[in-house]
């Protein structure tokens, strides 16, 4: 795969005061696929996503996608969906289009209606987040992320606080809609090894650096010793 079909991070660094969180990271993420970033809490996984999205400015380094320098076309899905309680489902989904000011009222209504139909949310369009199920909230958040037709969607711990059944339902949703809409997934997750089932590539972030990059199969065949306890405490003495 050529570099033109990658999201490329070159020398990406970010510090908060004297604490270096990201330390000159180089990473080529294939577009059109699913990459999951794993690592212990506090290692900078969410910071990495926010730098990619532009929510945080990196201290140094460059970001490019499809060979073009600059922040790529992407949407960000927060841990707790970040739906506005005072807005209906359709109003939440329409918000990114209204904020850009590039689409008229009729176009927004048409695009939002089409998106809600594709994600099977039409019956909930006039409801508020408090009135719908957890699964519908996830789909509503995804619909809002998709409404601007981004090339990349960044998922920050999308299954936090969910029981195993709902966790797998969210993974299935992400996998199915990625295939349907063709977006690239870059996900931060603690759900290992479960998330490996839907991931094409795994990046292990530790001490501010990417210390492993490869497929889930490659990780299983050549697990770094320092990563074994994180993947499975039983592996620590293997």
């Amino acid at each position: 795969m050529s570099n033109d079909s990658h999201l490329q991070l070159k020398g990406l660094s970010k510090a908060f005061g004297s604490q270096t969180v990201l330390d000159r990271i180089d990473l080529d993420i294939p577009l059109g696929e699913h990459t999951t970033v794993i690592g212990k809490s506090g290692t900078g996984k969410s910071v990495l996503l926010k730098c990619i999205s532009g929510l945080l400015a990196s201290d140094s380094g460059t970001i490019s996608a499809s060979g073009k320098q600059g922040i790529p076309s992407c949407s960000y899905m927060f841990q707790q969906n970040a739906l506005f309680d005072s807005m209906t489902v359709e109003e939440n989904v329409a918000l990114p289009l209204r904020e850009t000011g590039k689409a008229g009222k009729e176009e927004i209504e048409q695009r939002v209606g089409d998106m809600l139909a594709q994600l099977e949310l039409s019956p909930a369009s006039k409801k508020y987040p408090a009135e719908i199920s957890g699964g519908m909230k996830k789909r509503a958040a995804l619909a809002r992320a998709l409404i601007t037709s981004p090339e990349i969607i960044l998922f920050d711990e999308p299954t936090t606080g969910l029981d195993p059944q709902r966790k797998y339902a969210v993974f299935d949703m992400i996998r199915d809609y990625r295939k349907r809409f063709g977006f690239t997934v870059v996900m931060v997750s603690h759900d290992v090894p479960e998330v490996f089932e839907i991931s094409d590539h795994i990046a292990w972030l530790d001490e501010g650096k990417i210390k492993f990059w490869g497929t889930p199969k490659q990780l299983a065949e050549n697990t770094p010793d320092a990563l074994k306890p994180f993947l499975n405490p039983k592996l620590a003495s293997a």
Side-chain angles (χ1 to χ4, degrees), residues 70-90:
I71 302 301
S73 168
C74 64
S75 292
Y76 195 106
M77 275 194 66
F78 294 88
Q79 288 186 25
Q80 302 299 332
N81 305 317
L83 297 173
F84 290 96
D85 294 335
S86 61
M87 294 182 177
T88 64
V89 168
E90 67 179 4

Side-chain angles (χ1 to χ4, degrees), residues 130-173:
E131 299 174 318
I132 61 177
S133 68
M136 289 185 113
K137 289 177 185 177
K138 290 290 183 185
R139 278 188 280 144
L142 181 57
R144 185 178 60 187
L146 285 167
I147 197 66
T148 55
S149 302
E151 187 174 21
I152 302 163
I153 299 184
L154 309 170
F155 292 85
D156 192 351
E157 299 284 1
T159 56
T160 295
L162 298 182
D163 60 44
Q165 184 176 358
R166 290 186 175 88
K167 180 191 304 182
Y168 280 109
V170 171
F171 287 159
D172 287 342
M173 177 194 76

Side-chain angles (χ1 to χ4, degrees), residues 50-62:
K50 289 175 181 176
C51 287
I52 293 173
S53 70
L55 291 174
L56 279 176
S58 60
D59 296 331
S60 61
T62 61

Side-chain angles (χ1 to χ4, degrees), residues 21-22 25 37 40-49 188 205 208:
V21 180
L22 305 177
I25 286 178
V37 182
K40 298 177 182 178
S41 296
T43 55
K45 301 185 301 298
S46 293
V47 172
L48 177 63
L49 288 193
V188 160
L205 179 62

